Amino acid sequence: MGDVLAGFHAAWEFESDSVVIRYERGIRTPRLFQALGERRVPLSALEGVTLSPGRRGTVVLRLEPRPGADPLMEAAAGQLKEGSDPYRLVLPAERETLAEYYADELRPLLTESGPAERHLVAAPEVPLSFKAYDAKASFDGRTVAFRWFWTGASSAKWKAGDQSFRVEDLVGVEWRSAEVFEGHLRLLRRDAGESVVQADQDPAAVVFGLGYGPVHESLPFAAAVLDAVRSAGGGVPAVAVGRRDPADVAERIRHLGELHQAGLVTDEEFSVKKAELLAEL
């Protein structure tokens, strides 16, 4: 089509075989969008497009990526808040007719559906790094390195020493947003056993905290690592983890309950996290 549709925080350019999304860098633009800058999304990576009412006199045009087509969305595993969804374009309600026109033009071009066999959307460019609560994490495209901070790292991590992981030795990543309880980035190793160690004790994981591991830094990092692992032949889902020890789950629920009673976790957060922990049994 070759046309450009501009909305709040982003503009979409419709090309014959892709949609180019250019994100604004304004002060009100979500920081994840600013970090992404520009993304070219092949039509083969999409399986649908929707138009729905938004908030406060807006409409939302959304592209629906195929499962596994975008390493960013695969690493996010459904944890992104609505306002940080990179496939949403928010427009004033008076532009609804125009948005519907582009949606109608785009739908016949989306001929693929279902899980993609490989990543079709480019991963964030390396090198990448960010500060977690207990370490600085860096990735150069071949090796992930964790350098522990003496102020945050557990004794178990100090005992293990700084860590380096080759992409070839990994099978995936596990990203838990810093915006929810127990945020962390864990590398899933090819030689790891079935038991799952708490992230703050696992030398293959870094933990997040207030101001550490923010979404706009840690998620692109996780996506880049995941894409490199897939390219190197890794083949398990990004969120695949072993079953937890029931005693460990019980201890975590007890700790969660203490945080809830202290008012540090809301009722909703408590219910959601408790359900997640029970599902790991």
Side-chain angles (χ1 to χ4, degrees):
M1 291 179 278
D3 297 336
V4 176
L5 181 61
F8 299 113
H9 310 315
W12 290 3
E13 181 176 355
F14 300 92
E15 298 186 344
S16 60
D17 62 349
S18 60
V19 178
V20 179
I21 304 176
R22 298 184 176 90
Y23 302 100
E24 295 181 356
R25 296 188 177 278
I27 191 172
R28 296 184 179 180
T29 301
R31 298 187 72 180
L32 176 61
F33 294 179
Q34 297 183 49
L36 295 175
E38 177 178 315
R39 310 191 83 205
R40 180 178 297 274
V41 182
L43 299 185
S44 60
L46 303 171
E47 61 182 7
V49 57
T50 61
L51 180 65
S52 59
R55 301 176 181 175
R56 299 178 181 178
T58 64
V59 293
V60 178
L61 190 62
R62 186 181 189 276
L63 301 174
E64 298 179 344
R66 295 169 59 195
D70 183 351
L72 187 85
M73 301 304 286
E74 186 176 358
Q79 298 174 76
L80 286 177
K81 293 182 177 179
E82 186 179 76
S84 295
D85 183 346
Y87 286 93
R88 295 174 78 249
L89 183 67
V90 182
L91 304 116
E94 56 266 25
R95 305 192 73 186
E96 180 176 4
T97 301
L98 182 61
E100 184 61 53
Y101 165 78
Y102 282 109
D104 289 341
E105 289 288 305
L106 193 58
R107 287 188 182 104
L109 303 178
L110 307 181
T111 59
E112 303 288 341
S113 62
E117 295 182 357
R118 60 185 179 87
H119 292 151
L120 301 172
V121 182
E125 295 183 359
V126 296
L128 291 167
S129 65
F130 72 92
K131 287 185 178 181
Y133 174 73
D134 56 358
K136 178 180 179 180
S138 60
F139 179 51
D140 62 5
R142 296 169 297 179
T143 303
V144 181
F146 295 158
R147 301 290 179 259
W148 308 121
F149 296 145
W150 69 271
T151 53
S154 65
S155 58
K157 291 182 176 180
W158 272 113
K159 184 177 180 179
D162 291 341
Q163 299 289 301
S164 293
F165 304 89
R166 298 186 309 165
V167 165
E168 293 81 2
D169 297 329
L170 304 175
V171 294
V173 299
E174 177 187 76
W175 180 78
R176 293 290 179 264
S177 175
E179 296 177 342
V180 298
F181 184 67
E182 292 188 333
H184 63 261
L185 172 69
R186 189 195 305 269
L187 303 178
L188 304 182
R189 295 170 292 175
R190 195 174 299 277
D191 61 352
E194 290 296 323
S195 62
V196 178
V197 181
Q198 291 181 208
D200 63 344
Q201 301 295 315
D202 186 355
V206 294
V207 297
F208 303 152
L210 185 61
Y212 295 95
V215 171
H216 70 281
E217 294 180 357
S218 61
L219 179 57
F221 186 103
V225 174
L226 178 60
D227 185 65
V229 170
R230 291 289 184 273
S231 298
V236 301
V239 296
V241 295
R243 295 283 184 179
R244 287 191 186 275
D245 185 325
D248 177 59
V249 172
E251 174 61 22
R252 284 174 168 270
I253 291 176
R254 183 192 65 76
H255 178 60
L256 182 64
E258 292 176 349
L259 294 176
H260 180 234
Q261 292 181 353
L264 299 176
V265 175
T266 66
D267 292 344
E268 181 179 0
E269 290 172 335
F270 174 76
S271 298
V272 170
K273 185 58 184 177
K274 182 179 178 180
E276 289 178 357
L277 289 170
L278 290 173
E280 293 176 2
L281 290 173

